[in-house]
Structure formats: C-alpha cells, structure tokens
Amino acid sequence: MTEAIHTTNLNAWYGKTHALKNIDMTVENNKITAIIGPSGCGKSTFIRCLNRMNDLIDGFSTEGEILIRGKDIKDTDPVALRKKIGMVFQKPNPFPKSIYENIAYGPRIHGINKRELDSIVESSLKKAALWNEVKDRLNDNAMELSGGQQQRLCIARALAVGPEIILFDEPCSALDPISASKIEDLMIDLKEKYTIVIVTHNMQQAARVSDSTAFFLMGEMIEFGDTKQIFKKPREKSTEDYITGRFG
Amino acid sequence: MDRLRIQRGHIPYLSEFFHSIKLDRLRMQRIRELAIEKALFLCALVSVLTTIGIVLVLIFETLSFFEEVPILEFLTGTTWAPTYRPQHFGVLPLINGTIMIAAGAAVIAIPLGIASSVYLSEYASAKVRQTVKPVLEILAGIPTVVYGYFAISFITPLIREFIPDANIFNAASASIVVGIMILPMVSSLSEDAMRSVPRSLREGAYALGSTRFDVSTKIVVPAALSGILASFVLAISRAVGETMAVTLAAGATPKMTLNFFESIQTMTAYIVQVSLGDTPHGSIEYQTIFAVGMVLFIMTLLMNIVSMWIKERYREVYS
Ligand SMILES: Nc1ncnc2c1ncn2[C@@H]1O[C@H](COP(=O)(O)OP(=O)(O)OP(=O)(O)O)[C@@H](O)[C@H]1O
Ligand SMILES: [Mg+2]
C-alpha cells in the first residue's frame, strides 16, 4: 500500500467555528507533503486531526473519515495512534529535563527496557543530526540548548518512539535561517524511512522539500497536487495569488 | 453684530476658563495620586512597624524569661509544668505535640492535596474546575473554631467508635481536622503551580503517546515541583500555627508521647490557655508564653524561608 494517510470528507469544528470543510486528501508513504495557506485557514487543525491531538481541546469535534494505513483512527486508541504518528511543534518544546531524559521519556513510557535506552538515545540523536553537538553533555538541561538544537532535540524525541509518520507544524518558523536549513536537510534524509507532513508559511521551503503540496484557504482545500505543478502551474487563481504573494 | 462681538469676546475667556479647569484637574489628579501613594505607604508602614513591635516585645520578654530559667533547661527539659509546684520549664512536650499535629495533618493533607490538584488541573473539565476551585477557597476561609467543633462533635466520636480507649481529647482527631483544614491550601496552591506549566509541554508529551497519567506524573508534577513543595511547607507552617481547632480537639496535656490517641498540648494551645487563664501578668508563668511564642515564631519563620528557598531552588525554567 502506498497510502499512508487518507481523509474523506473531513470536517472539523471548534464549538461552532467550522475550521475544516470536506477535506479529501491522500498522503503517500515516504513522501513529504506540504500544507500551505494563509494564517487561520486550518492547516494546524488538519494535522492535529491526524494524531487526534485536538481531542484534548474542549468542544472540538470532527466528522468524516481518516484512515491511517487503511485503518480508521476512530477505532484506534489515541495513545497508540500518537505513538505511531509523531509531531513536532512550531515552538521547540523540550521538557525541562536533561537532554538524555528528553529522548528517553518516550521509550520509557512505552515500556522499553532500561538497557536499550542508551542506544535509542544515541541513535535518535544521530538521526536528528544532533549527536555530535550534545554527546558530551547529555545530562545538561535541554533548556540550555539553542533554539535550533532544541527543535532537533524535539525531532529526536519524536523519532525515539519509532513513529511511521511525522507531522511538522511550522517547525522552522522560530528558527534562524541556518538552523532552518539544517532541519530541511534533515527532513529530506528522514523521508527515506518516514512519511512526513509539514505545515509551512515559507513557500521556498515547501518548494524545496516537499513532493506534494496542498493549498488550504478558509478551511477548504483549494488545490492539491505535485509540488512542481502547484508552484509552476497552479490550476486555481487563489493558489497562484497566494504563492506569488499577491494574497492579503 | 453686537451679539456676535460679545460672543467673540467671550471665546478667549471661555477657552482660558476651560484651560484652567483642565490645569486644575491635572493638578487635582496629581495631588490625588500623591495622597494615594502616601496613604498606601502609611498602611505598609503601619504593618511593618507592628511586626517590628511584636518581634521586639517577643525578644524582650523572652530575654527576661531566660534570666530566670536557664535556656538549656527550657530547650531540653521533658516536663512542662510552669503552673504547678515544683515548676518545670521543659518545652519539648509542647514541641512534640506541635510536631505530632503538623505531621499527622501533613500525612492527610499532602497525598489528598496532590491527588485533588492533579485531578483539578489535568483531569477535570473546565466546568468542574470552575465550580470546585472557589469552593476550595471558601473552605479555606471557614473560621477554625468551626473546624474545632467539627472535630469534637464528629471526628472524635468516630475515632472512639473504633478505638474505645482513645481519650476524649486526642491528637488523632486534632491532626485529622487540621489536615482537612490545610487541604484546600495544598490543593489550591499546587493546582496553581500545575496550571502554570505551559500547555506546549503537555502537548509535547501527549504527542509521544503519553496517557493522561504519564503527563500528570512525569511531566506536569516535576515541572511544577517547586510550587508544589512550597505549598506543602506553607500548609505545614499553617498547621504548626493552628490554635483553636487543636485546643478544642487535643485538649491541654503537655506530654512526651507518640500516641495519637492521648491528649497532648501544642505550643499555640498552651499560649491560649495561659492568655485566657488567671495567670498574673509579669509573673514568670506568664512570661512562658513569650518564650514559647518565640520558638513558634522561629519555627514558622524557618519554614517560610525553606519554602522560598525551595521555590528558587527547584524552579524549572520552561520555555
Ligand atoms: N483551540 C481553538 N479554539 C477555537 N478555535 C480555534 C482553536 N484553534 C484554532 N481555532 C480556529 O480554527 C481556525 C483554523 O485555525 P488553525 O490553527 O488550524 O489555522 P492555521 O492555518 O494553522 O493558522 P496559522 O498559520 O496561523 O498557524 C481559525 O479560525 C482559528 O481561529
Ligand atoms: Mg498553525
């Protein structure tokens, strides 16, 4: 199966606010799918539906179907679902613990044996291209890292529980350009093993890293297709306006 | 024309008039601000001076007490009988009683307080929290004498139901009621500390597949630890200072014991007893209350310092 995620007629509400309207979308395995669109159009809402993060919000409700690897997420325990679908947030949010503990937290709650932790911590940090910078200070507090390092730590933390899909919600918007490009490179490396969905406000970033792009506007998915096509020859006028920056 | 001229003639006058009103208003405002500032300063001064006065009285009376009673006898003696002959001035039984009550209360209030604050902060819906929190705060405002009556009319009979040998005045009943009394403080302050842990940390943990329990115990409680520990210390220092309920429930028997079903006496209960009794002012018996008060003062002061130190020491810097 090549489909990692498939949504059909997905609608979402915060109380009475209709945040997502009839989203039909397919995310393919081992691809990077970018979601772009103006602020408030529902990008975060969409990816937070995928790992049922929004279930934690009072008054949030959805209709429609979300299949992850062919299985309806409504039939999956949210805890198990989130183990399978990692998430990296806009603002780096390391726990106020040591670097080691940040990575070890996830495997530990999933019952991984203590003896395996060291190697998981090392391999996760290596995958997130952070190992060389922190290997001598694993017991330092994670809050002492720079913003970019913190964000890579959060990526390593997500990798440590062995997800299949990783959701990135504007992972670079709080970072300097060099840290941002490190994370972009990292994402391209990661797609070999993981399926990635990234929300971004940065058109160049979407064009550089993603294979497919979806354009959202006011809760609707206006256009979805191959990234090259979207950026070179958008079918919809509003997509073109947004990409070329002519949009409000 | 004439009328017009008159009106015109009025205009500068009017504007001057308004201008001066404006100035007056500004001046008034400044005076008012100054008055408010001075008044507030005076209030602050009064409370600071009162505190200094109290501490000075405490020190002088304590010093003159120690001119008659050796400090070593006071601090190490195990019999407290200042009003009987032969007189004994060993404060340890009172300290023992105080610690028993505080420890007993802590054993009740800390686990329940933590559990209820975790529930309120992490499990309860906004609606439940918004109803329960004010109720907790009201509970904290009930006069302590009411708790005292609750202890002797409900808790003590209940205890004696199970342990018929228990004295009608006993430390267990007092501990339980003080525990109930400080419980709202622990849970309310701890809940505040937990609520101030940023949402982003919780989301980060949930996104890794944490259960609510994982998030509460492994992320939120550790991140809020300083505030939680500080709430314990504050609550215990409140238990140490608690007077009315303890006097009513635990009686007035200074005793070196660890038996919770006997009557004991705490420092505060002793102070009340002497203050209300017919002990002549200025006598050595009367001065004991200042020495005991000094011990109490130092104990609570230390605990408040510890609580501040904990807050600083364990402050987890998030974000
Ligand atoms: N917790 C919430 N409660 C109520 N409404 C919300 C909540 N979160 C988002 N919304 C609303 O849902 C709509 C979509 O928000 P969403 O956060 O998905 O936008 P976004 O595309 O991610 O925007 P941005 O680019 O600014 O992050 C907005 O109208 C927003 O006001
Ligand atoms: Mg967003």
Side-chain angles (χ1 to χ4, degrees):
Chain A
M1 185 184 286
T2 60
E3 272 180 25
I5 305 168
H6 187 95
T7 73
T8 324
N9 245 327
L10 179 63
N11 282 273
W13 292 265
Y14 294 101
K16 291 207 172 63
T17 315
H18 197 174
L20 288 179
K21 296 168 188 158
N22 302 319
I23 309 290
D24 294 310
M25 185 157 135
T26 305
V27 172
E28 285 182 51
N29 275 326
N30 299 90
K31 292 273 158 56
I32 299 182
T33 304
I35 299 174
I36 59 172
S39 191
C41 68
K43 306 179 295 292
S44 300
T45 305
F46 177 73
I47 65 167
R48 291 165 62 93
C49 283
L50 302 178
N51 63 348
R52 295 185 59 179
M53 210 54 188
N54 274 340
D55 288 15
L56 300 168
I57 292 174
D58 273 345
F60 181 80
S61 61
T62 59
E63 257 174 34
E65 198 180 50
I66 302 174
L67 302 180
I68 303 284
R69 299 260 151 80
K71 201 170 167 220
D72 195 327
I73 62 166
K74 286 211 178 86
D75 304 331
T76 321
D77 171 38
V79 169
L81 181 74
R82 293 182 197 131
K83 180 172 183 288
K84 219 157 67 169
I85 307 182
M87 186 168 223
V88 176
F89 298 82
Q90 175 168 1
K91 224 176 116 220
N93 57 351
F95 304 132
K97 302 175 188 291
S98 72
I99 295 171
Y100 185 95
E101 284 303 317
N102 262 274
I103 312 289
Y105 171 83
R108 210 176 261 148
I109 59 168
H110 295 298
I112 295 285
N113 201 307
K114 226 179 156 144
R115 272 171 291 129
E116 294 170 59
L117 280 179
D118 284 357
S119 70
I120 292 180
V121 169
E122 180 172 344
S123 69
S124 307
L125 284 169
K126 275 181 176 155
K127 281 187 220 160
L130 189 60
W131 175 250
N132 285 330
E133 290 159 66
V134 301
K135 61 170 184 266
D136 301 322
R137 47 187 288 214
L138 291 176
N139 290 320
D140 286 7
N141 196 305
M143 294 301 176
E144 291 161 17
L145 297 173
S146 74
Q149 289 173 326
Q150 288 187 7
Q151 195 64 305
R152 276 179 283 145
L153 182 74
C154 292
I155 295 174
R157 183 174 78 182
L159 296 176
V161 294
E164 298 165 17
I165 299 167
I166 308 173
L167 310 169
F168 289 86
D169 194 351
E170 302 183 40
C172 303
S173 62
L175 304 182
D176 63 283
I178 294 176
S179 306
S181 82
K182 270 190 195 157
I183 293 200
E184 284 179 18
D185 293 344
L186 182 58
M187 278 190 282
I188 293 170
D189 288 344
L190 289 176
K191 93 175 171 180
E192 226 176 274
K193 296 216 180 71
Y194 305 90
T195 303
I196 291 174
V197 181
I198 174 177
V199 169
T200 179
H201 274 286
N202 182 331
M203 294 309 114
Q204 287 84 8
Q205 185 173 64
R208 269 195 302 266
V209 303
S210 72
D211 303 293
S212 327
T213 297
F215 172 61
F216 278 43
L217 186 60
M218 296 173 64
E220 289 180 75
M221 191 170 77
I222 302 294
E223 191 166 352
F224 177 48
D226 191 68
T227 297
K228 285 204 190 74
Q229 173 255 311
I230 296 269
F231 280 93
K232 287 222 177 76
K233 258 202 216 130
R235 277 188 293 271
E236 303 289 332
K237 175 85 170 54
S238 51
T239 314
E240 187 180 347
D241 287 350
Y242 181 70
I243 290 169
T244 52
R246 249 176 287 156
F247 207 87
Chain B
M1 262 330 247
D2 250 19
R3 259 173 60 202
L4 206 71
R5 195 175 302 143
I6 290 168
Q7 275 180 349
R8 265 211 198 121
H10 270 86
I11 289 170
Y13 171 72
L14 267 181
S15 83
E16 211 168 84
F17 177 69
F18 282 123
H19 191 66
S20 72
I21 284 185
K22 217 157 105 193
L23 268 184
D24 265 6
R25 211 187 277 148
L26 268 178
R27 199 173 303 140
M28 281 300 287
Q29 206 172 345
R30 214 168 294 145
I31 290 173
R32 213 169 54 209
E33 301 255 304
L34 208 71
I36 291 173
E37 191 192 316
K38 291 280 181 267
L40 289 178
F41 175 73
L42 271 180
C43 294
L45 195 66
V46 167
S47 61
V48 169
L49 286 181
T50 321
T51 312
I52 292 177
I54 292 172
V55 173
L56 283 181
V57 169
L58 209 53
I59 291 175
F60 285 130
E61 295 284 347
T62 307
L63 285 179
S64 82
F65 172 79
F66 284 130
E67 274 166 18
E68 307 221 6
V69 176
I71 191 161
L72 201 69
E73 182 193 332
F74 177 73
L75 288 179
T76 58
T78 54
T79 310
W80 182 255
T83 48
Y84 305 119
R85 310 278 147 179
Q87 286 177 313
H88 287 285
F89 295 101
V91 78
L92 283 181
L94 293 182
I95 294 182
N96 179 70
T98 304
I99 291 177
M100 265 171 92
I101 300 297
V107 163
I108 289 165
I110 286 177
L112 287 178
I114 274 278
S116 63
S117 56
V118 166
Y119 168 74
L120 280 181
S121 155
E122 305 304 309
Y123 286 81
S125 68
K127 218 171 171 183
V128 170
R129 182 167 48 243
Q130 276 156 20
T131 7
V132 173
K133 198 96 205 273
V135 171
L136 278 183
E137 267 139 34
I138 289 172
L139 264 158
I142 294 178
T144 58
V145 66
V146 176
Y147 282 99
Y149 274 111
F150 175 68
I152 43 179
S153 64
F154 181 74
I155 302 176
T156 306
L158 198 68
I159 290 176
R160 278 156 61 92
E161 191 82 11
F162 292 97
I163 299 148
D165 287 347
N167 195 302
I168 184 124
F169 296 111
N170 62 69
S173 176
S175 294
I176 292 171
V177 83
V178 174
I180 295 173
M181 201 184 301
I182 62 176
L183 175 60
M185 187 171 181
V186 174
S187 60
S188 181
L189 290 180
S190 299
E191 198 254 0
D192 288 344
M194 292 182 201
R195 298 282 294 161
S196 66
V197 172
R199 199 191 157 75
S200 64
L201 285 188
R202 290 186 181 83
E203 290 199 330
Y206 278 119
L208 294 168
S210 305
T211 60
R212 226 173 251 277
F213 190 71
D214 291 328
V215 174
S216 312
T217 55
K218 302 198 178 81
I219 302 296
V220 176
V221 168
L225 195 63
S226 71
I228 295 172
L229 291 179
S231 85
F232 294 169
V233 181
L234 282 181
I236 292 172
S237 95
R238 163 106 199 267
V240 166
E242 173 43 38
T243 311
M244 266 332 279
V246 177
T247 310
L248 286 175
T253 322
K255 203 183 287 175
M256 283 304 274
T257 178
L258 288 176
N259 185 345
F260 271 87
F261 302 106
E262 287 183 50
S263 170
I264 51 109
Q265 189 168 41
T266 63
M267 293 189 274
T268 50
Y270 172 75
I271 293 173
V272 168
Q273 187 195 5
V274 171
S275 313
L276 297 181
D278 43 16
T279 318
H281 284 224
S283 66
I284 185 73
E285 292 90 337
Y286 192 76
Q287 274 178 335
T288 53
I289 65 173
F290 294 101
V292 172
M294 186 56 127
V295 174
L296 192 63
F297 174 73
I298 291 173
M299 266 170 79
T300 31
L301 185 70
L302 280 181
M303 272 194 269
N304 282 298
I305 291 172
V306 166
S307 124
M308 280 196 285
W309 177 80
I310 288 175
K311 267 200 136 141
E312 271 309 300
R313 171 70 180 70
Y314 290 99
R315 214 184 52 214
E316 284 201 7
V317 259
Y318 21 69
S319 90

